[in-house]
Amino acid sequence: MKLSSNSVRFTGAVYTPSTVADALTKLALDCFSVAPQRVLEPSVGDGAFIPSLRAIPSSKLTAVDIDQTVIEALRSDERNFSIEFVESEFIDYCLNSNETFDLIIGNPPFIRGRNFLQPLKESVQHLSTRTLFDPHHLKNAWAAFIVGSDLILSQEGVMAFILPYELLTVDYGIELQNYLSARFEAVDIYVPEGKAFRTIDQDAVALVARRRSPDPKGITIHSVPALDSMLINSSFRFESKYGTHQSLERTAFLLPNDAYELLSGLRARMSKVSDFCSSSAGIVTGANDYFILSEKQVVALELDKWVVPILKRGAYLSADPVYARSQFEENSADIPRFLLALSGASGEDMPDELRDYLSEGVKSGVSERYKCRNRPNWSVVPIVPAGDGFFFKRSHAFPRICVNEAAILVTDSAYRINMKDGHSINALVYSFYNSLTLLFSEIDGRFYGGGVLELTPSEFKNLPIVYQEPSEAEFARFREANITRADSGEGLAKLGDQWLANKLKLTESEIEIIHKSWLRLRQHRLRHGKSAA
């Protein structure tokens, strides 16, 4: 079934292929020495799990869903006569149920917190109060389903879910892993080589959590060909430490042999980006499409006295790591690159065209947007000065960090960089482009639908880096390599690897391990890009 983005956003309805449901059910049943007696499917949907679950001998199956139409359709199937169907919002069901279950299995809805309807919001708040689980980490319905299921799972029980890939990458996903690790003796996460759902951006993993297990306690992440083929390619087990983001451990299952120990040792020896510079977000307008204008708009509205140059997004950069004024001037007149700057302006000074533009902003609701309405004057954007350099927090092939020779302003899609005494922006940019720093960007960052890599402010500041001050000739060669590169950064990384090997006294084989590890993790991220419809 192909789903629209709106359907997924508001209903969480991502239906499970029957082959995936069968594979997950088999994994879960393999955890029991005797068949589970009480089984629960918490979001039954189109009933993908029912054929596998009906086959469990002597078990009582309960299926819950909030959708009355779904329940009625499944009840009408005579093969489901022995199943207890419950029409209910699942979190509310967990909070009020007196039953416990030996196996809870299914595909919880993927609904972000900002899209929760009021009943679900209230249920999640009650769940947080009852379990003492921080509500800030219940940012998606699937997270609440995990905590709710824990309430009604038996002391010998197993929880088995299809979950979004965010379980491995975002902060609240890490918190859920830590929560599970504290309450289950074994937590296994199965990560497919291919996308789980080819028609939407959201990707998925499989989770199997066992209350009791003869295996060593901890979290084990497995690489598998696909979620309907759970043949393990590689695995990595670690003990979760509550409150820490063990990024290297959580990606180790993807790394080549010997890479984990090598990278662990190198990380301990490396400095962080924040040792050499400070960084902070760029300008927050609250409505970029309104406050950032193209040259054509500026001319048409006669606003040249009321705007300042700004770089809106990384897509407008050339390959040159030094952002010069000439780059800005070369941009098309259609590209938004002028920020409306009205600090100190009075109504008497404004031309009619500007007053009309502001009136349109009020009529269209721009003035009521969150950031705008909380400013003393909604139309006056607070301007923070340009930095020595800038780093775009989101990227595709590899992150972009640039020398800000043009002293250009940037939006909050980038971090402004200001160097500490004794260090230069040229050196920081030069030091960034090698396989090791690019690899740690993949390890410490996170990615979302479409395969876009993002580094949060703290992830960027704490990114491991080896600082190298280049000569003028070395920086010139580096700059030329950027401008003329014909690949996705592999050659640029290998250029940096030459000085890196000397600096860290790395062997040729160690550099090769690092370079292959970067390519492997990047390829794994980019496979999450959008599929053709």
Side-chain angles (χ1 to χ4, degrees):
M1 175 181 292
K2 183 169 180 176
L3 302 167
S4 70
S5 59
N6 282 339
S7 172
V8 173
R9 182 179 305 146
F10 294 108
T11 70
V14 178
Y15 294 113
T16 313
S18 59
T19 52
V20 174
D22 291 344
L24 182 61
T25 302
K26 183 179 185 306
L27 271 181
L29 293 179
D30 285 347
C31 299
F32 294 91
S33 56
V34 295
Q37 295 302 296
R38 293 158 297 174
V39 179
L40 173 67
E41 215 289 29
S43 53
V44 68
D46 63 348
F49 284 87
I50 283 181
S52 298
L53 298 178
R54 275 198 311 248
I56 302 174
S58 304
S59 65
K60 175 189 175 185
L61 175 57
T62 301
V64 178
D65 204 283
I66 196 172
D67 190 334
Q68 180 183 10
T69 304
V70 161
I71 295 293
E72 289 177 353
L74 291 171
R75 274 188 181 137
S76 68
D77 187 336
E78 61 183 18
R79 294 170 298 179
N80 297 333
F81 72 94
S82 63
I83 300 174
E84 178 189 6
F85 290 101
V86 179
E87 182 189 335
S88 173
E89 190 278 301
F90 178 66
I91 304 304
D92 189 56
Y93 176 84
C94 293
L95 292 168
N96 294 287
S97 177
N98 294 319
E99 277 196 271
T100 59
F101 297 88
D102 303 312
L103 171 61
I104 301 179
I105 184 170
N107 182 357
F110 300 0
I111 311 173
R112 299 196 183 282
R114 63 176 176 268
N115 296 319
F116 285 179
L117 299 178
Q118 191 60 34
L120 181 56
K121 281 184 183 178
E122 293 174 1
S123 294
V124 169
Q125 185 57 56
H126 292 323
L127 178 67
S128 172
T129 300
R130 179 163 165 182
T131 61
L132 302 180
F133 192 89
D134 189 341
H136 293 99
H137 296 310
L138 296 174
K139 292 183 177 180
N140 201 302
W142 64 264
F145 267 56
I146 287 178
V147 177
S149 296
D150 182 51
L151 283 177
I152 56 175
L153 189 69
S154 69
Q155 292 304 306
E156 305 293 325
V158 172
M159 185 189 302
F161 284 147
I162 301 297
L163 298 173
Y165 201 100
E166 292 174 357
L167 177 68
L168 294 178
T169 58
V170 299
D171 290 342
Y172 70 89
I174 305 304
E175 288 296 323
L176 263 297
Q177 286 186 51
N178 291 329
Y179 175 85
L180 290 167
S181 183
R183 302 181 67 81
F184 292 78
E185 289 188 354
V187 177
D188 291 272
I189 301 170
Y190 298 83
V191 183
E193 289 286 341
K195 286 186 70 173
F197 304 111
R198 296 187 180 277
T199 57
I200 60 172
D201 286 347
Q202 182 66 263
D203 202 7
V205 299
L207 167 80
V208 178
R210 293 170 281 170
R211 291 274 201 218
R212 303 285 179 261
S213 172
D215 298 329
K217 183 175 174 60
I219 297 174
T220 305
I221 302 181
H222 309 278
S223 173
V224 296
L227 291 187
D228 56 3
S229 177
M230 301 284 194
L231 301 173
I232 295 172
N233 295 327
S234 61
S235 302
F236 188 85
R237 191 189 70 81
F238 60 95
E239 290 189 22
S240 180
K241 297 178 182 178
Y242 201 87
T244 64
H245 191 306
Q246 296 172 302
S247 55
L248 181 55
E249 288 86 347
R250 287 180 167 90
T251 54
F253 74 100
L254 289 168
L255 298 173
N257 293 336
D258 304 324
Y260 176 77
E261 294 300 330
L262 173 62
L263 294 172
S264 295
L266 288 173
R267 180 159 215 159
R269 296 165 53 191
M270 294 172 71
S271 301
K272 298 179 295 185
V273 165
S274 60
D275 292 330
F276 309 107
C277 67
S278 62
S279 58
S280 58
I283 293 170
V284 179
T285 70
N288 280 352
D289 291 343
Y290 177 81
F291 288 105
I292 301 179
L293 310 174
S294 70
E295 184 178 355
K296 285 184 177 180
Q297 289 175 296
V298 171
V299 172
L301 296 170
E302 301 181 13
L303 297 180
D304 56 300
K305 294 180 180 179
W306 306 94
V307 294
V308 292
I310 192 169
L311 185 57
K312 184 179 179 182
R313 59 181 62 168
Y316 300 152
L317 290 173
S318 75
D320 193 339
V322 176
Y323 190 83
R325 183 72 185 192
S326 58
Q327 279 196 49
F328 179 83
E329 299 295 345
E330 288 167 3
N331 282 326
S332 164
D334 294 317
I335 289 178
R337 56 194 178 111
F338 292 98
L339 173 67
L340 196 60
L342 301 179
S343 179
S346 64
E348 298 79 33
D349 299 332
M350 294 180 183
D352 291 341
E353 291 82 1
L354 179 53
R355 280 196 291 269
D356 290 344
Y357 190 70
L358 296 178
S359 295
E360 286 300 318
V362 173
K363 289 177 184 177
S364 63
V366 173
S367 60
E368 291 303 311
R369 294 190 188 182
Y370 179 75
K371 293 292 184 182
C372 299
R373 72 171 183 262
N374 285 291
R375 294 198 285 250
N377 183 334
W378 73 270
S379 64
V380 178
V381 175
I383 295 180
V384 292
D388 299 326
F390 50 79
F391 175 89
F392 277 89
K393 63 184 179 182
R394 290 183 176 176
S395 59
H396 188 64
F398 56 87
R400 293 299 308 274
I401 182 171
C402 292
V403 177
N404 192 7
E405 185 180 279
I408 194 79
L409 300 176
V410 292
T411 66
D412 61 341
S413 63
Y415 305 134
R416 299 176 303 122
I417 297 170
N418 286 296
M419 301 306 298
K420 294 182 177 180
D421 290 345
H423 305 289
S424 73
I425 185 62
N426 281 21
L428 184 71
V429 172
Y430 181 81
S431 301
F432 195 92
Y433 290 107
N434 56 77
S435 296
L436 187 57
T437 301
L438 293 172
L439 171 58
F440 276 116
S441 297
E442 298 285 347
I443 290 171
D444 289 1
R446 71 276 311 282
F447 60 88
Y448 302 99
V452 173
L453 175 66
E454 178 179 293
L455 288 165
T456 65
S458 62
E459 288 164 352
F460 175 66
K461 290 174 183 177
N462 291 309
L463 191 66
I465 194 168
V466 176
Y467 184 84
Q468 174 77 353
E469 192 77 52
S471 66
E472 288 187 15
E474 287 171 330
F475 191 79
R477 284 195 296 272
F478 162 74
R479 188 175 178 182
E480 181 64 19
N482 273 270
I483 294 170
T484 60
R485 62 182 170 81
D487 56 26
S488 295
E490 290 90 337
L492 187 61
K494 286 194 171 183
L495 179 66
D497 291 347
Q498 295 174 16
W499 65 259
L500 184 73
N502 292 329
K503 186 97 171 183
L504 295 180
K505 296 180 170 55
L506 297 171
T507 66
E508 185 176 330
S509 63
E510 287 172 330
I511 283 289
E512 187 66 13
I513 288 171
I514 293 168
H515 187 74
K516 285 184 177 178
S517 297
W518 169 52
L519 294 179
R520 175 73 179 95
L521 264 64
R522 184 175 70 171
Q523 181 270 334
H524 181 75
R525 167 174 62 84
L526 292 178
R527 75 175 178 78
H528 292 71
K530 294 182 180 180
S531 298

